Amino acid sequence: MFRIQLLVSVLLCCFTFWFHISFGYLITCSGIVPMRYRNDKVSITDFGGVGDGKTLNTKAFREAIYRIQHLRRRGGTLLYVPPGVYLTESFNLTSHMTLYLARGAVIKATQDTWTWPLVAPLPSYGRGRERPGGRYMSFIHGDGLRDVVITGENGTIDGQGGIWWNMWRQGNLQFTRPNLVEFMNSRGIIISNVIFKNSPFWNIHPVYCSNVVIRYVTILAPTDSPNTDGIDPDSSSNVCIEDSFISTGDDLVAVKSGWDEYGIAYGRPSSHITIRRVTGSSPFAGIAVGSETSGGVEHVLAENIVIYNSGIGVNIKTNIGRGGFIKNITVSQVFMENVRTGIKITGDTGDHPDNQFNPNALPYVKGVTLKNIWGVKVQKAGSIQGLKNAPFTNICLSKINLHGMTGPRSPPWKCSDVSGAAIEEPPTCSSTLPLLSSLLW
Ligand SMILES: *[C@@H]1O[C@H](CO)[C@@H](O)[C@H](O)[C@H]1NC(C)=O
Ligand SMILES: *[C@@H]1O[C@H](CO)[C@@H](O)[C@H](O)[C@H]1NC(C)=O
């Protein structure tokens, strides 16, 4: 009986796989949020904006957006940022607008960290991610919005994060560092054809959002810049990320949903997250789920991913006290080169917000399918370590070919408290996951 169930679940994951393989290259995010053409256009220069890299343009941005918000032109308004370097403090976007960066336009964050506004902590985190209490507002911020586009001709949003990274290194940060772009409680968001550079903290953070498209973006930060995650969909649904290059100091894409008792109480999952045709390098993970997953994460598909010079290729991470669930995750068509660990799924990653977490709140991890993963120069192939009192189930590995540093031989796997199946040779994780062929015959 158990075998038959197992067989059925393994075969099911094969079928979803075939569907994605056949159409993976054709599917795009386009349908999720319609692209808007805006008849009404204004330029930041109409509001006194000066792109000389020295003038502070905070007033210009805030006034332009105030006007867009209050004039409420039919079909929304486009705010044009011409070539030039526009220094500004953080600002809020409004609904029904497009922020358009021309080729050669740079919106640059001030270095005046002491005037940076604070916002309340996210309820699903209970505090700032790195310091207790509130957190610095993201450089470009949106709360409760709909129909917002950030696009253009590959202009740059530059967080000038160096000063923040140094505060973190020196241990004198008072509050959690700002994200570069954050949307909260928003829907119908498109971010495309923009370069994001040197974020103080996470780069793009959609939280409590739905219908978000991020495509044709480039995200850059030095390898040693702390916590500069590329894109972190957090307690959000219908998020589609594609055709992007990301090279930062932390995870390239990390799907999250809140932190321990706060995330469990808030109870907002991340679901229907698609990541495709993303390339990049990270000292941590290429594609990550977690470690903050207390609201649950389900229906994640990552495919056609290239990861090089990185710490971990694919990393699913949770913790005791985190609760929540991680279900129905598919990662397929991944090529990795020169990574320390190819695949890592663990139940003991990440710190706690405080000592109030419930040690009996165990995460539930079920239904992770990893297929067609090819790697060269991989130091450690994989490690899948579930929890004794909450083993990971329905873990399906198929066509995983990870070659060592010196040749085609796969380095060893480490697996415990995990069940599921491995389809096809080589027998990855063979101590715990039976080969499908041995189930069949
Ligand atoms: C921007 O939004 C934040 C959070 O929603 C709010 O606290 C702040 O007052 C807003 N700032 C401006 C200048 O409107
Ligand atoms: C902007 O960059 C993207 C991604 O690299 C690229 O596909 C696109 O053609 C570029 N667009 C322009 C207008 O240069």
Side-chain angles (χ1 to χ4, degrees):
M1 191 59 202
F2 169 72
R3 279 199 164 199
I4 291 177
Q5 276 180 4
L6 191 57
L7 207 57
V8 168
S9 68
V10 166
L11 289 176
L12 276 177
C13 75
C14 291
F15 279 115
T16 52
F17 167 65
W18 274 109
F19 176 78
H20 293 307
I21 287 308
S22 328
F23 301 105
Y25 280 92
L26 300 175
I27 297 175
T28 75
C29 299
S30 310
I32 293 179
V33 182
M35 194 56 166
R36 295 277 180 176
Y37 180 79
R38 316 272 190 204
N39 276 313
D40 190 45
K41 296 184 173 64
V42 295
S43 168
I44 194 66
T45 54
D46 303 339
F47 297 86
V50 180
D52 62 1
K54 291 191 285 252
T55 307
L56 199 60
N57 291 285
T58 312
K59 208 164 153 277
F61 278 104
R62 290 187 184 165
E63 277 178 11
I65 289 160
Y66 183 89
R67 190 207 105 128
I68 294 170
Q69 184 178 4
H70 290 87
L71 279 185
R72 288 158 143 264
R73 286 294 156 85
R74 230 186 117 89
T77 300
L78 179 145
L79 173 57
Y80 180 78
V81 182
V85 179
Y86 298 82
L87 191 68
T88 174
E89 295 173 288
S90 63
F91 59 89
N92 291 324
L93 299 174
T94 188
S95 293
H96 308 295
M97 73 169 285
T98 296
L99 177 63
Y100 190 99
L101 288 88
R103 178 173 304 283
V106 181
I107 304 180
K108 205 171 203 175
T110 72
Q111 303 257 278
D112 299 345
T113 57
W114 57 91
T115 60
W116 207 286
L118 282 173
V119 292
L122 293 169
S124 56
Y125 283 73
R127 46 164 282 178
R129 184 61 185 82
E130 43 182 359
R131 302 288 306 154
R135 51 201 192 106
Y136 293 107
M137 185 176 116
S138 63
F139 176 47
I140 296 182
H141 191 78
D143 190 359
L145 307 186
R146 50 184 303 178
D147 176 25
V148 180
V149 181
I150 302 178
T151 189
E153 302 154 10
N154 294 335
T156 301
I157 295 176
D158 181 353
Q160 295 213 82
I163 194 163
W164 295 99
W165 308 332
N166 284 334
M167 282 161 79
W168 178 85
R169 287 173 186 133
Q170 289 153 12
N172 52 18
L173 264 175
Q174 230 187 321
F175 297 100
T176 299
R177 284 170 285 158
N179 301 302
L180 195 51
V181 174
E182 179 174 79
F183 284 98
M184 294 174 60
N185 308 301
S186 299
R187 61 174 299 145
I189 307 296
I190 300 178
I191 301 175
S192 75
N193 299 86
V194 176
I195 299 167
F196 296 86
K197 209 170 114 182
N198 295 337
S199 174
F201 193 59
W202 300 345
N203 275 271
I204 303 178
H205 185 218
V207 58
Y208 321 136
C209 288
S210 63
N211 296 59
V212 177
V213 168
I214 302 167
R215 55 201 304 221
Y216 308 120
V217 299
T218 302
I219 305 178
L220 305 171
T223 305
D224 65 351
S225 58
N227 310 100
T228 48
D229 289 18
I231 304 171
D232 288 358
D234 196 348
S235 293
S236 291
S237 56
N238 293 323
V239 179
C240 190
I241 300 163
E242 66 183 13
D243 296 302
S244 292
F245 177 83
I246 309 175
S247 174
T248 65
D250 210 320
D251 299 343
L252 303 183
V253 177
V255 183
K256 301 176 183 287
S257 66
W259 205 9
D260 288 4
E261 67 272 23
Y262 305 102
I264 294 170
Y266 199 70
R268 177 124 184 217
S270 271
S271 68
H272 297 99
I273 312 291
T274 307
I275 304 154
R276 63 167 89 79
R277 298 184 297 271
V278 168
T279 298
S281 92
S282 156
F284 292 93
I287 301 296
V289 172
S291 73
E292 307 89 329
T293 49
S294 301
V297 173
E298 62 184 339
H299 306 303
V300 175
L301 168 67
E303 60 184 359
N304 302 313
I305 308 292
V306 176
I307 298 158
Y308 61 91
N309 301 349
S310 292
I312 303 169
V314 178
N315 192 192
I316 297 176
K317 41 187 175 173
T318 177
N319 205 346
I320 287 171
R322 193 124 309 165
F325 54 82
I326 297 176
K327 305 191 289 209
N328 197 355
I329 312 291
T330 302
V331 181
S332 78
Q333 304 291 104
V334 177
F335 175 76
M336 54 180 90
E337 177 166 5
N338 194 24
V339 302
R340 277 200 315 277
T341 305
I343 292 163
K344 189 168 181 180
I345 307 181
T346 60
D348 66 348
T349 331
D351 41 2
H352 301 286
D354 50 39
N355 291 326
Q356 306 300 307
F357 72 92
N358 173 5
N360 297 319
L362 298 178
Y364 170 80
V365 179
K366 179 176 183 177
V368 176
T369 299
L370 305 176
K371 309 227 174 191
N372 269 27
I373 299 190
W374 184 272
V376 295
K377 294 194 192 152
V378 178
Q379 275 177 39
K380 291 188 214 150
S383 132
I384 305 183
Q385 296 188 288
L387 294 165
K388 274 235 144 35
N389 296 321
F392 298 168
T393 58
N394 281 30
I395 308 297
C396 169
L397 304 178
S398 165
K399 295 195 185 169
I400 314 275
N401 274 292
L402 298 174
H403 297 169
M405 295 308 284
T406 50
R409 255 180 85 90
S410 169
W413 284 70
K414 240 168 58 184
C415 303
S416 59
D417 301 303
V418 52
S419 67
I423 306 172
E424 288 190 42
E425 304 279 350
T428 45
C429 234
S430 54
S431 58
T432 17
L433 298 185
L435 270 176
L436 183 64
S437 49
S438 65
L439 287 173
L440 281 171
W441 311 120

